[in-house]
Amino acid sequence: MFRQLGLSVMAGAALLASALSASADTDVKFALDWKFEGPSAPYFVALDKGYYKAEGLNVTIDSGPGSVAGIARVAAGTYPIGFFDINSLARFRDQNPDKDVKGVLMVYDKPPFSIVSIAKSGINGPKDLEGKILGAPAPDGAFAQWKAFVKENKIDDSKVKIENVGFPVREPMLADGKVDAITGFSFSSYFNLMSKGIAEKDIKVMLMSDYGIVLYGNAIMVNPEFAKANPKLVAGFVRATVKGIIDTIKDPDTAIKSVMKRNETADEKIELARLKMSLKDNFVTPWVKANGVGGIDEKRMTDAIEQIAVTYEFKNPKPKAGDLFTSEYLPPADARKF
């Protein structure tokens, strides 16, 4: 009887310890910019491999409204951490100077901003857009760079008709010939067109970063009050995410499985191709290979801010690189290399 009592006490103690350990994990809501698609793999990999858990975090990942609109969610604290466009953050901070939202982990070293067309439109370079109709959703992160793209490539924009189109009809309108080209994220528009029956060989993608745009892309950003109150938690989230990114870079074929578990209606073949495209064009650049995942080059960010000023008139003094991004939560460079 004593032996059974002892075993019961031990079992109870183990359960209590387990409960206390579970309750010690901090709940964190993390907002993506868009749907659960290939490029979101690193976060789900970090979740499935227990990287967030190891940092004492119980992370919930939600889809988002786009790379621009979601910044307000982070600023309001609805989501203390989110994944959105760093260039749009510069504009948001200018319009909301009391909101000290910052990027803490650069994910897209090169942005997926692009001009996408199909072969029959005859657009092979930026100047070919003259005399054409460009379909562009007004809140689109890629379209936000249009003036800078025009300036860098000496396009006569008076010869380009801009048609404001909704996100859902953007690719269908291009496929139907109602517009000649569209702005969008390369890895979104490309595969959306394929799903509309456009042959892969007929899809033409001009990455703006190949045509004079020096901007960065999407970054992990945090609510300032949350970061101030939880610096170790933010550092832990960043550390876990870096591991998820590196694992995804090393083995995208396995990483995509973590996405498919959350989006069973998606086509795994397409999402894997979308992931690999984003890794090639946005995640893994020569700078990232040399310096590791997640950081920035301060001079380039300064140049990027000057380029943002071409597309947006700042009401307040232009931000400095340190106003948009801080490296204080990043792990050492050696831990960010792959």
Side-chain angles (χ1 to χ4, degrees), residues 116-128:
V116 183
S117 62
I118 52 182
K120 67 181 181 182
S121 297
I123 298 170
N124 299 304
K127 291 284 286 181
D128 295 333

Side-chain angles (χ1 to χ4, degrees), residues 8-25 53:
S8 296
V9 170
M10 289 173 64
L15 286 171
L16 178 61
S18 176
L20 288 172
S21 175
S23 66
D25 288 345
K53 180 77 172 175

